[in-house]
């Protein structure tokens, strides 16, 4: 095979551009320009920052194709810059919220790589979830990023062994502010649902269920998923949860699901497991939390330890890799 063109290491390792974009998003520069503050002095005054420093940051971004400098010190939005007007896009960039936690967490990567354990606490003083608990504004921005404002409305379509007709009750374990459960209930009117997540996150779910018109079919439970879960539902959903956790904790969460699902329920895992031959990837969850996406063989073993038998798994037309487990 011919060797690939060598990558440009200088461009790949230049941290200026990502930091400039984070700073510009944090200062709401695109909004200030959209509001008519196009001269660097009025722009800096509106954003509460130093005009010369801001000019240098914008000058760098103009060179990268974000913003236009229509005359010296006079700025305009272009297509890329208009993307910064989207509050959803800003959630992941704003250094004052979860965007800052994710950005600075990359600075802990050296210790993660040396030890294989997350080093988030060394920078922020507390492990990730405890840090969010101690900083309600950051936690709210995390919930918003994970919810429809950031990640969009989730797709509720996935197939089950034997069909959805057998399912009347769903517990969404670690379901965030309820976006996925709301969509399942909206598209399947015969189903009732229970949202389980941390108390402060569950407290932010009301609007989602009301907007979907399903509030009367939902129960919300603010608790840890390491404690006993509501029992007897037909389906326990873990979407984008197990990939946040190392093996010991992931097994504990699966164990709680297995105990609650016994004898006739099932546990469905989305967005955390893939085929065994999938390339290894580095995701932000790994750096923040030491979690990981797992291949089938690895997951099957965790499930077995948790008292679950993996009976079906595969990529579905929705794009989800769906894993179904049943209590042993
Ligand atoms: C990556 S989010 C996934 C949210 C949702 N399932 C989705 O697909 O968008 C992980 C969720 O786990 C919740 N979580 C973290 N630790 C928890 C715990 N100990 N007990 C219950 N929920 C927890 C977080 O609040 C968050 O909503």
């Amino acid at each position: 095979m011919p060797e690939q063109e060598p990558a440009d290491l200088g461009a790949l390792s230049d941290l200026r551009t990502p930091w400039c974009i984070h700073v510009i998003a944090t200062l709401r520069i695109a909004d200030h320009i959209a509001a008519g503050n196009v001269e660097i002095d009025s722009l800096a005054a509106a954003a509460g920052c130093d005009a010369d420093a801001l000019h240098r940051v914008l000058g760098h971004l103009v060179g990268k194709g974000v913003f236009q400098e229509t005359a010296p010190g006079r700025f305009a939005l272009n297509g890329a810059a208009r993307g910064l007007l989207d509050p959803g896009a800003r959630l992941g960039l704003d250094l004052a919220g979860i965007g800052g936690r994710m950005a600075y967490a990359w600075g802990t990567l050296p210790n993660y790589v040396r030890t294989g354990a997350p080093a988030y606490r060394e920078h922020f003083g507390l492990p990730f979830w405890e840090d969010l608990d101690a900083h309600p504004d950051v936690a709210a921005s995390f919930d918003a990023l994970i919810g429809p404002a950031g990640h969009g409305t989730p797709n509720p379509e996935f197939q089950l062994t034997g069909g959805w007709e057998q399912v009347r009750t769903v517990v969404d374990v670690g379901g965030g502010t309820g976006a996925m459960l709301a969509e399942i209930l909206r598209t399947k009117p015969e189903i009732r649902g229970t949202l389980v997540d941390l108390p402060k996150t569950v407290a932010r779910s009301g609007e989602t269920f009301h907007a979907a018109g399903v509030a009367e079919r939902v129960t919300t439970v603010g608790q840890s998923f390491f404690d006993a879960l509501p029992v007897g539902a037909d389906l326990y959903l873990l979407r984008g949860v197990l990939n946040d956790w190392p093996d010991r904790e992931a097994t504990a969460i699966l164990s709680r699901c297995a105990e609650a699902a016994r004898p006739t329920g099932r546990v469905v895992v989305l967005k955390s497991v893939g085929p065994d031959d999938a390339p290894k990837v580095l995701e932000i969850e790994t750096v923040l939390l030491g979690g990981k996406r797992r291949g089938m063989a690895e997951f099957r073993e965790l499930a077995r330890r948790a008292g679950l038998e993996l009976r079906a798994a595969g990529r579905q037309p929705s794009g989800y890799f769906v894993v179904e487990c049943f209590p042993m």
Side-chain angles (χ1 to χ4, degrees):
M1 276 228 303
E3 202 176 319
Q4 280 183 321
E5 278 291 304
D8 180 348
L9 288 180
L12 287 175
S13 58
D14 185 350
L15 300 176
R16 272 177 302 179
T17 307
W19 276 110
C20 285
I21 290 177
H22 278 78
V23 167
I24 290 298
T26 305
L27 293 173
R28 308 284 191 271
I29 295 299
D31 300 72
H32 292 308
I33 292 176
N37 297 294
V38 297
E39 301 286 349
I40 193 66
D41 287 332
S42 71
L43 188 53
C49 65
D50 181 86
D52 183 63
L54 178 63
H55 200 159
R56 288 171 195 282
V57 169
L58 281 171
H60 175 73
L61 289 178
V62 168
K64 296 290 178 189
V66 189
F67 298 99
Q68 284 176 290
E69 191 164 8
T70 53
R74 194 179 169 83
F75 291 92
L77 300 177
N78 60 6
R82 270 188 286 278
L84 294 169
L85 296 172
D86 172 5
R90 261 197 331 247
L91 280 169
L93 295 172
D94 187 340
L95 293 167
I98 188 64
R101 293 308 201 266
M102 295 192 294
Y104 288 104
W106 286 111
T108 69
L109 184 62
N111 278 348
Y112 166 70
V113 175
R114 281 194 193 99
T115 65
Y120 184 92
R121 179 207 298 258
E122 285 166 26
H123 189 91
F124 294 101
L126 289 169
F128 181 74
W129 296 115
E130 290 171 38
D131 177 41
L132 260 54
D133 190 48
H135 296 93
D137 291 352
V138 179
S141 75
F142 173 80
D143 286 345
L145 176 67
I146 295 298
H151 288 177
T153 303
N155 180 0
E157 297 304 331
F158 56 93
Q159 292 147 24
L160 297 172
T161 310
W164 276 91
E165 296 69 34
Q166 303 181 357
V167 176
R168 286 291 170 273
T169 46
V170 173
V171 178
D172 193 353
V173 180
T177 53
M180 179 65 167
L181 185 59
E183 284 304 293
I184 291 175
L185 299 189
R186 192 181 61 71
T187 53
K188 297 177 174 58
E190 62 290 353
I191 292 182
R192 303 187 68 82
T194 301
L195 174 69
V196 172
D197 205 291
L198 296 169
K200 290 174 191 164
T201 296
V202 161
R204 283 190 269 272
S205 67
E207 173 55 31
T208 310
F209 294 126
H210 281 291
V214 300
E216 70 289 352
R217 285 186 282 133
V218 178
T219 306
T220 59
V221 183
Q223 64 156 82
S224 171
F225 46 43
F226 294 110
D227 296 333
L229 294 168
V231 296
D234 299 320
L235 192 158
Y236 290 79
L237 178 63
L238 288 166
R239 179 183 185 267
V241 169
L242 295 179
N243 53 307
D244 282 348
W245 297 93
D247 288 353
R248 191 168 60 89
E249 289 84 354
T251 308
I253 296 166
L254 284 167
S255 298
R256 297 298 84 76
C257 291
E259 290 152 12
R262 241 171 235 131
T264 55
R266 73 182 84 186
V267 180
V268 172
V269 178
L270 303 180
K271 295 179 76 173
S272 298
V273 179
D276 280 324
D277 58 359
K280 282 218 189 264
V281 289
L282 174 64
E283 290 172 311
I284 187 68
E285 296 91 324
T286 303
V287 181
L288 296 173
L289 295 151
K292 55 185 174 175
R293 266 172 220 273
R294 295 176 173 85
M296 288 287 295
E298 208 178 347
F299 176 76
R300 190 190 302 274
E301 175 55 21
L302 292 195
R304 190 195 60 71
R305 275 190 246 152
L308 290 167
E309 182 192 6
L310 193 159
R311 288 212 200 135
R315 183 81 57 200
Q316 296 195 357
S318 59
Y320 285 124
F321 192 92
V322 181
V323 180
E324 277 183 90
C325 305
F326 292 78
M328 291 194 275

